[in-house]
Amino acid sequence: MERKSELTKALLGEKFKELVAKKGFEKLTIKIITDAAGVIRPTFYNYFQDKYEVMEWLLWEDVFKEVSELMEQEHVMESLQLLFQRFGEDKTYYEKVFEVTGQNSFEEMLYGQVFHMEEILVKHHPLKHLRNMPHVDEKVFLEFHAISLVNGLKYWLIRESKNISAGDVMEFYQYMMSHSILDLLDIENTEKK
């Protein structure tokens, strides 16, 4: 019985994802989802309160469940690669859910998961450079970093997804996080002109 329940929940999530990719989030109703899944409307409410909860559940199931497990096992690079890979596999869906704004925005859901992932990371590996910056605590640093990753994913999926692979985005993300703009400015050659 429990296996059937898991399959029904997964089916609702799968249909939700397909429909969002085709129709967008706003026009999607519970009835459309249940019709696509071949179940009655009350079945939906056995698993989810609303379509926002489906979106949040899918984010956990499809991306962060395994990413967090890898982080807990201290496979940092593999977890980040998987993060970008999973978003790349469902670009159209994620592009559409980034349009969900307001109180239950996808961006806020994603931010929460990224922040949690980073908390796992620093639990195993303390932030050494913050020792020299007493005015910046760990929470502020993680918040800033989570915002940067969320906005990077959003930019890639909404503006550049057709041109850049998940692997290339991962490589660019690593480069951006390890270099400040001050490191990259060619000040010497500019001053000589």
Side-chain angles (χ1 to χ4, degrees), residues 33-46:
I33 298 166
T34 55
D35 286 351
V39 299
I40 58 174
R41 188 179 168 98
T43 302
F44 178 90
Y45 294 107
N46 289 337

Side-chain angles (χ1 to χ4, degrees), residues 16-33 50-53 55 92-107 109:
F16 173 85
K17 190 186 292 186
E18 288 172 11
L19 291 163
V20 167
K22 287 180 190 170
K23 298 177 179 271
F25 182 84
E26 291 304 319
K27 295 181 181 180
L28 195 57
T29 65
I30 304 306
K31 179 164 178 22
I32 293 171
I33 298 166
D50 54 29
K51 60 186 185 177
Y52 295 97
E53 192 173 326
M55 184 172 60
T92 304
Y93 168 74
Y94 288 112
E95 184 179 345
K96 295 283 188 182
V97 292
F98 261 115
E99 295 172 3
V100 179
T101 58
Q103 185 178 3
N104 295 310
S105 73
F106 177 75
E107 199 166 332
M109 291 175 190

Side-chain angles (χ1 to χ4, degrees), residues 129 141 144-145 148 169-186:
H129 291 0
F141 180 82
F144 181 84
H145 199 272
S148 299
V169 171
M170 169 70 183
E171 198 173 303
F172 181 66
Y173 170 75
Q174 287 178 280
Y175 185 80
M176 290 294 292
M177 288 297 107
S178 61
H179 295 80
S180 83
I181 194 167
L182 299 176
D183 296 334
L184 303 175
L185 294 174
D186 192 358

Side-chain angles (χ1 to χ4, degrees), residues 64 83-84 87 94-95 98-101 105-115 117-118 142-161 164 169 172-173 176-177:
F64 284 96
L83 174 75
F84 284 99
F87 277 93
Y94 288 112
E95 184 179 345
F98 261 115
E99 295 172 3
V100 179
T101 58
S105 73
F106 177 75
E107 199 166 332
E108 282 297 315
M109 291 175 190
L110 177 58
Y111 170 81
Q113 291 297 334
V114 169
F115 185 83
M117 176 187 79
E118 292 179 345
L142 293 179
E143 286 172 346
F144 181 84
H145 199 272
I147 290 168
S148 299
L149 180 52
V150 167
N151 282 315
L153 285 165
K154 182 178 181 181
Y155 180 82
W156 169 49
L157 293 165
I158 292 174
R159 305 221 21 218
E160 296 294 330
S161 66
I164 304 174
V169 171
F172 181 66
Y173 170 75
M176 290 294 292
M177 288 297 107

